[in-house]
């Protein structure tokens, strides 16, 4: 069997992390090496994870970053370790996922049988609900992503076979290690978010193929990581999300088209957010900050993320 390293990032989330580990313990593929990267947790996460591994006699490698490096930079610590030990496959897995027993073997089996594909994800369901979160998706020319089978009942979606996709979500993605060796790690320009979108753009630009395997099932507690970092449905959270995307797309559009695309995006996004109860005053401020900051910045730092999450874009 090829060597597989599952990279799981933990930040103050031991309850979710140990549930994820429990699901990996029951994988039919026995050649899964587990690497936990603790991203500077301030609670007792590290001790609880170590205790769980001892109690269940599960071998894990635990790396402590000592600080919250953000999702991409923290995950890259794990990817580098996987490459160093000679992994053939790297399984990026959110700590708030639960993986069904056949998932790893089916993803690796697909990539083994299809050497022209470099990555695969599975059928990702909402945790505790018989509804699809997504099955990967497709990048669009407008700079968005179109999720596959999103919000559809499980019974109405394929339960076997596969489909070529162009967007792969970082919450559960199996990569050939050679992808990171040849095409680089996750971008660290963004403290939280955007890394999977940027990587998908990079893979598409390199004409590399990725797929969704419908019989590899993952359950995802959607939003638990970002909810701990930033309150939901706030201007600050929307500011970070769209600022990430606006900055990222500077690399994928000619500059005149990018300038026009930003204005069109603002015109589409603000009325949509208004329908969620946000005030026009706040939305006007949001639009101005997005236009200003996306033109000036090349990334979104931890300091900016935390300031926006705490006080909103008006503080920036």
């Amino acid at each position: 069997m090829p060597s597989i390293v599952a990279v799981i990032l933990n930040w103050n989330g031991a309850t979710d992390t140990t549930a994820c580990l429990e699901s990996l313990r029951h994988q039919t593929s026995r050649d899964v090496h587990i690497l936990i990267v603790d991203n500077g947790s301030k609670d007792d996460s590290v001790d609880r994870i170590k205790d769980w591994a001892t109690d269940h006699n599960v071998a894990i490698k635990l790396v402590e970053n000592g600080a919250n490096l953000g999702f991409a930079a923290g995950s890259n610590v794990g990817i580098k370790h996987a490459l160093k030990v000679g992994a053939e496959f790297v399984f990026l897995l959110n700590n708030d996922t639960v993986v069904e027993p056949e998932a790893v073997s089916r993803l690796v089996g697909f990539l083994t049988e299809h050497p022209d594909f470099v990555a695969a994800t599975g059928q990702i369901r909402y945790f505790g609900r018989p509804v699809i979160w997504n099955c990967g998706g497709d990048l669009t020319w407008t700079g968005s992503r179109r999720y596959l089978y999103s919000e559809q009942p499980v019974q109405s979606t394929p339960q076997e076979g596969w489909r070529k996709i162009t967007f792969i979500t970082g919450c559960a993605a199996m990569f050939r290690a050679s992808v990171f060796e040849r095409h680089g790690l996750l971008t660290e320009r963004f403290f939280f978010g955007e890394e999977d979108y940027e990587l998908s753009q990079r893979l598409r630009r390199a004409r590399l193929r990725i797929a969704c395997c419908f019989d590899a099932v993952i359950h995802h507690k959607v939003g638990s990581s970002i909810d701990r970092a930033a309150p939901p449905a706030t201007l600050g959270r929307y500011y970070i999300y769209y600022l990430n995307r606006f900055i990222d797309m500077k690399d994928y559009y000619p500059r005149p088209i990018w300038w026009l695309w930003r204005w069109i995006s603002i015109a589409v996004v603000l009325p949509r957010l208004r329908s969620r109860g946000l005030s026009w005053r706040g939305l006007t401020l949001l639009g101005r900050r997005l236009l200003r900051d996306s033109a000036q910045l090349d990334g979104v730092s931890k300091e900016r993320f935390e300031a926006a999450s705490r006080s909103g874009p008006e503080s920036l």
Side-chain angles (χ1 to χ4, degrees), residues 23 33 39 57-58 67 117 131 168 192 194 216 224 281 305 313:
S23 71
H33 305 278
N39 222 14
N57 195 29
V58 175
F117 281 76
V131 178
I168 189 166
F192 193 100
E194 197 66 17
S224 65
R281 179 180 177 277
F305 174 89

Side-chain angles (χ1 to χ4, degrees), residues 64-299:
E64 297 183 55
N65 286 338
N68 188 354
L69 306 182
F71 183 84
S75 296
N76 281 343
V77 171
I79 295 171
K80 290 174 184 176
H81 176 83
L83 298 180
K84 183 178 180 180
V85 300
E88 186 175 350
F89 294 98
V90 178
F91 189 28
L92 295 184
L93 195 60
N94 272 23
N95 75 315
D96 60 353
T97 57
V98 173
V99 185
E100 292 202 355
E102 298 285 345
V104 169
S105 62
R106 287 172 176 167
L107 291 173
V108 171
F110 172 83
L111 291 174
T112 302
E113 295 169 8
H114 297 82
D116 53 330
F117 281 76
V118 300
T121 188
Q123 177 194 142
I124 306 175
R125 302 175 182 175
Y126 285 100
F127 183 85
R129 295 171 53 199
V131 178
I132 301 295
W133 181 50
N134 71 68
C135 297
D138 291 305
L139 302 170
T140 72
W141 67 270
T142 61
S144 66
R145 55 194 167 194
R146 183 180 298 112
Y147 283 132
L148 189 62
Y149 295 108
S150 178
E151 306 300 326
Q152 298 299 309
V154 167
Q155 60 269 24
S156 69
T157 62
Q159 299 303 305
E160 57 184 20
W162 61 275
R163 181 189 185 278
K164 183 176 178 291
I165 57 177
T166 55
F167 171 76
I168 189 166
T169 176
C171 89
M174 185 74 73
F175 292 93
R176 297 186 191 278
S178 57
V179 169
F180 298 114
E181 293 171 331
R182 298 170 186 171
H183 300 279
L185 305 179
L186 301 177
T187 179
E188 297 183 10
R189 294 163 58 202
F190 308 100
F191 177 74
F192 193 100
E194 197 66 17
E195 66 288 323
D196 51 4
Y197 185 92
E198 190 278 338
L199 180 59
S200 296
Q201 287 279 18
R202 215 183 323 153
L203 296 180
R204 183 170 70 166
R205 177 178 281 182
R207 300 183 182 278
L208 299 176
R209 306 178 76 189
I210 57 180
C212 173
C213 301
F214 296 111
D215 58 357
V217 178
I218 299 100
H219 304 267
H220 186 206
K221 303 167 188 174
V222 177
S224 65
S225 297
I226 183 63
D227 286 348
R228 286 197 300 271
T234 64
L235 277 180
R237 186 153 160 176
Y238 292 127
Y239 167 80
I240 293 296
Y241 175 84
Y242 288 108
L243 182 60
N244 284 347
R245 182 60 44 82
F246 281 17
I247 293 173
D248 194 8
M249 293 309 294
K250 276 198 277 191
D251 292 338
Y252 296 97
Y253 285 136
R255 193 52 56 91
I257 294 177
W258 177 75
W259 281 90
L260 177 61
W261 169 81
R262 289 186 313 150
W263 282 97
I264 294 173
S265 297
I266 290 290
V268 171
V269 164
L270 296 190
R272 187 181 300 164
L273 295 181
R274 174 66 177 137
S275 68
R276 299 180 185 181
L278 298 175
S279 70
W280 276 120
R281 179 180 177 277
L283 291 172
T284 300
L285 173 65
L286 174 65
R288 289 174 178 168
R289 292 290 189 270
L290 288 173
L291 291 172
R292 182 196 69 183
D293 295 342
S294 62
Q296 296 176 353
L297 301 174
D298 292 320

